[in-house]
Amino acid sequence: MITVFWTCLLLYSNTLSYSHDSTNKGNVKNCKYLEETHLETLFKAIDYRKDVFVERLAHAVAIPSVSSQSEHQEDLVNMLKWTGDILNNLGFFWQIKSPTLSNKSNSSTSLKYPFLLGHLAKAQNINKQVLNKSKTLLIYAHVDVVAAKQSEGWEQSDPFVMERKNGFLKGRGTTDDKGPVVAWLNALSVLKEELGNDCFPPLNIKIFLETGEEIGSPGLREILSNEATFFNDIDYLVVTDNYCLTNYKPCLTYGLRGMVYFSLEINGPFKQDLHSGVHGGPIDEPLRESVYLLASMVDKDGKILIPEIYDDVLPLEEPENASYSSIQFNDETPGAYFVASKNEVLAKKWRWPSLSVHGIEGSISQKGDVKSVIPHRILSKFSIRLVPDQDPERVKELVRSYLEELHADWTLGKENANTMTLKSLHEGVLAWYNPNPQNNPVFIAAEKAVKRVYGLEPDYTREGGTIPAVVYLSQAIPSPTNVILLPIGTTDDGAHSQNEKLSEQHFMNGTKLMLAYIYELSLTQY
């Protein structure tokens, strides 16, 4: 298939052995198309800049853009401005938009989780008739990170000072999600520098970055509504915020689980902690009821016991189940799974809802602490990962009804009993999946790009996690099925954990993959 755009490299690439001279770039007025062999020239240009690209990621990691801590609000803005400075050099027009949010615990303190919206000017000298037909690619990512302290078990003294060691780039955000963001910037930089202004870009490109993804994307839907014109011409959406299942096999992701998140508070009929020897026995203990309620929602095999919760779950049909057998999958947490079958592991990760208890506040929390008290208040948090076609609002009601029934039974006949408060901590996110990825242009282009970079057929995978932006962005763009998750890291990178890392090889190959993806996607538009 022929595309306009790429001949400028064709005309001078024979003089590149590899040379970094770009004095003649931008003078070619007749951009046509790039032959396969000239992608290798661009890949060599990426390798040539390796140290520069690694240093760029180190600068990104050094900005502690922790969205869960209010003291880092300024760092969130600084992270976007740092990215914007690079986009300036690439010819992007960009602006920062903030939703109207406030800190509920202190109404006088305004919390902002800003977004960056940018678009790249079209190449100057491509035929205008062709320009009018150009498709638009939206790149989505996030630049906020979860909190990290050396005292939590990091090997390096400061998680925000990236270490380059034994082929890995170590630091908070290297794989989630600053590494992928910088890889996109690197790929665009090579295209810009090697092709010149007259031939860059090959298709219209927009970029959308957020600073609150790690805390549930506050304000995202407001921005999508307020800035609807920015999204109404998007043809393709690519997201790089997930992981491959192995260190050696790339994958393309076509599904995510959704999520609902709850807090469960049990208060005793007494106002302070009590001595268990003095009062234990006739007291309705909040921690005991909390444990009972949490344990009553799921059985020993992980099956959720809440009535009707599986009624809307789509069945796992045999063709999909059979496809799991060929997927390359390494157990990145040896000994963690209680099922032995790979198919069952993947199905439990991707295709069935799961309930997880995340923590309990109000009980013993200090290491080595021994207290024989009865806590007067217990706050626990749990979530349910949703799958197609579960509705978050219906699941919330099922959870509430079930727990209220259990609580009523627990307190029945007690003169002074505990009280229960159940809260949903966000509105809930639908599961997302592409029903026919192999015949979708964003996946077809990605598969070709993977073959060019890795020489392998990619696995088609789902993901057990939740990315609200994928759901809401797919609803905001004209072609909701033209959405793909294109990962470069792997599941053992330690995202959200201690010693987060990204291998240099995956960082560089990921940059090549993104460049090749832009090229392949440009071929679909004419």
Side-chain angles (χ1 to χ4, degrees):
M1 184 181 295
I2 296 177
T3 181
V4 283
F5 140 73
W6 298 84
T7 321
C8 48
L9 179 63
L10 177 65
L11 295 180
Y12 68 76
S13 59
N14 290 333
T15 67
L16 235 62
S17 57
Y18 177 74
S19 166
H20 195 53
D21 180 16
S22 59
T23 55
N24 293 323
K25 295 167 191 177
N27 295 325
V28 179
K29 306 297 183 182
N30 213 5
C31 299
K32 292 184 180 178
Y33 64 95
L34 177 68
E35 294 180 356
E36 285 187 24
T37 56
H38 296 91
L39 272 180
E40 292 302 319
T41 303
L42 292 175
F43 292 165
K44 290 178 181 178
I46 290 173
D47 291 333
Y48 180 85
R49 294 165 171 81
K50 180 177 181 178
D51 289 341
V52 173
F53 289 164
V54 169
E55 183 64 21
R56 177 179 280 175
L57 178 55
H59 281 291
V61 170
I63 302 173
S65 49
V66 180
S67 52
S68 63
Q69 298 174 345
S70 59
E71 60 265 33
H72 290 291
Q73 285 280 299
E74 186 175 350
D75 292 313
L76 300 180
V77 177
N78 290 339
M79 189 67 224
L80 291 184
K81 289 181 177 178
W82 178 87
T83 308
D85 287 341
I86 298 174
L87 293 175
N88 283 338
N89 295 329
L90 295 174
F92 274 82
F93 300 98
W94 59 274
Q95 56 185 328
I96 292 176
K97 295 286 186 177
S98 295
T100 54
L101 301 171
S102 63
N103 187 343
K104 294 180 180 180
S105 63
N106 182 358
S107 58
S108 65
T109 301
S110 179
L111 292 177
K112 300 294 184 184
Y113 300 96
F115 298 79
L116 184 147
L117 294 80
H119 68 276
L120 186 57
K122 299 171 183 175
Q124 299 172 17
N125 295 300
I126 298 178
N127 183 285
K128 290 184 178 180
Q129 184 177 2
V130 173
L131 278 177
N132 293 334
K133 296 179 181 179
S134 294
K135 302 291 187 179
T136 299
L137 167 68
L138 176 65
I139 299 169
Y140 162 84
H142 67 90
V143 293
D144 64 313
V145 297
V146 298
K149 295 180 180 179
Q150 195 274 339
S151 59
E152 296 171 338
W154 285 74
E155 295 174 358
Q156 61 210 73
S157 59
D158 187 346
F160 294 98
V161 176
M162 192 181 82
E163 289 188 358
R164 188 178 185 182
K165 187 176 180 181
N166 299 326
F168 289 97
L169 308 171
K170 299 181 177 182
R172 176 58 84 221
T174 50
T175 194
D176 185 19
D177 190 30
K178 292 183 179 180
V181 171
V182 172
W184 278 112
L185 296 175
N186 294 343
L188 292 169
S189 295
V190 168
L191 285 173
K192 172 79 169 182
E193 293 168 14
E194 298 301 323
L195 299 182
N197 291 333
D198 293 329
C199 302
F200 174 74
L203 72 169
N204 301 326
I205 297 177
K206 291 186 175 183
I207 190 165
F208 183 51
L209 302 177
E210 70 164 309
T211 61
E213 194 275 341
E214 297 292 8
I215 56 171
S217 297
L220 173 60
R221 301 186 78 175
E222 177 188 333
I223 293 296
L224 292 177
S225 176
N226 292 347
E227 307 297 328
T229 55
F230 179 83
F231 301 98
N232 63 16
D233 66 343
I234 302 300
D235 298 288
Y236 314 120
L237 169 62
V238 60
V239 176
T240 304
D241 188 21
N242 68 308
Y243 311 98
C244 298
L245 298 179
T246 73
N247 286 313
Y248 54 87
K249 186 71 178 291
C251 70
L252 310 177
T253 302
Y254 65 95
L256 294 164
R257 290 195 292 187
M259 188 182 194
V260 287
Y261 199 108
F262 300 91
S263 69
L264 175 66
E265 183 175 342
I266 303 296
N267 281 280
F270 43 100
K271 302 303 181 185
Q272 64 185 45
D273 295 354
L274 299 176
H275 191 294
S276 63
V278 176
H279 299 284
I283 292 291
D284 195 12
E285 299 188 15
L287 179 55
R288 192 167 59 197
E289 182 181 358
S290 295
V291 171
Y292 166 73
L293 294 178
L294 294 171
S296 296
M297 288 190 289
V298 62
D299 71 10
K300 64 182 182 64
D301 295 319
K303 181 180 179 181
I304 301 174
L305 301 176
I306 300 169
E308 302 180 32
I309 201 164
Y310 287 94
D311 287 0
D312 297 324
V313 175
L314 293 178
L316 176 59
E317 302 291 351
E318 183 51 36
E320 182 182 353
N321 184 51
S323 72
Y324 293 174
S325 299
S326 63
I327 290 175
Q328 298 297 310
F329 170 63
N330 286 346
D331 183 356
E332 72 279 8
T333 53
Y337 302 128
F338 63 81
V339 293
S341 163
K342 178 179 71 173
N343 281 36
E344 191 173 359
V345 169
L346 295 179
K348 283 183 175 292
K349 281 173 171 274
W350 300 346
R351 284 296 278 109
W352 304 123
S354 63
L355 187 150
S356 298
V357 179
H358 304 298
I360 298 177
E361 300 175 15
S363 59
I364 294 174
S365 59
Q366 297 298 320
K367 184 178 181 180
D369 202 359
V370 178
K371 298 195 313 185
S372 56
V373 300
I374 301 171
H376 74 284
R377 171 187 174 272
I378 296 294
L379 179 68
S380 55
K381 295 179 181 179
F382 67 95
S383 69
I384 298 176
R385 298 284 178 171
L386 309 179
V387 297
D389 279 343
Q390 289 182 295
D391 174 48
E393 291 304 317
R394 172 167 165 76
V395 171
K396 288 180 193 178
E397 288 306 310
L398 292 175
V399 171
R400 179 173 300 279
S401 176
Y402 183 59
L403 289 179
E404 286 178 347
E405 181 179 344
L406 290 178
H407 174 68
D409 181 66
W410 178 274
T411 59
L412 183 64
K414 294 177 181 177
E415 183 174 344
N416 295 302
N418 298 328
T419 59
M420 183 189 82
T421 303
L422 179 70
K423 293 182 180 179
S424 175
L425 298 186
H426 60 69
E427 62 185 8
V429 182
L430 287 165
W432 167 85
Y433 81 111
N434 192 313
N436 191 19
Q438 283 88 349
N439 294 316
N440 187 282
V442 295
F443 283 88
I444 293 172
E447 183 172 324
K448 291 179 179 178
V450 166
K451 291 177 183 177
R452 289 186 184 277
V453 175
Y454 298 92
L456 298 170
E457 294 273 355
D459 283 333
Y460 280 73
T461 65
R462 294 194 183 220
E463 178 78 35
T466 305
I467 306 176
V470 174
V471 176
Y472 300 139
L473 281 168
S474 67
Q475 296 169 347
I477 64 176
S479 302
T481 59
N482 289 347
V483 180
I484 186 173
L485 273 69
L486 187 64
I488 64 172
T490 62
T491 52
D492 65 352
D493 282 345
H496 291 203
S497 186
Q498 298 90 346
N499 304 315
E500 181 179 348
K501 67 183 187 302
L502 176 66
S503 81
E504 288 190 33
Q505 182 179 15
H506 291 154
F507 182 53
M508 299 305 293
N509 282 341
T511 302
K512 294 175 184 178
L513 176 63
M514 291 162 176
L515 187 151
Y517 180 67
I518 291 173
Y519 165 66
E520 291 292 351
L521 200 58
S522 73
L523 297 180
T524 69
Q525 62 182 324
Y526 305 115

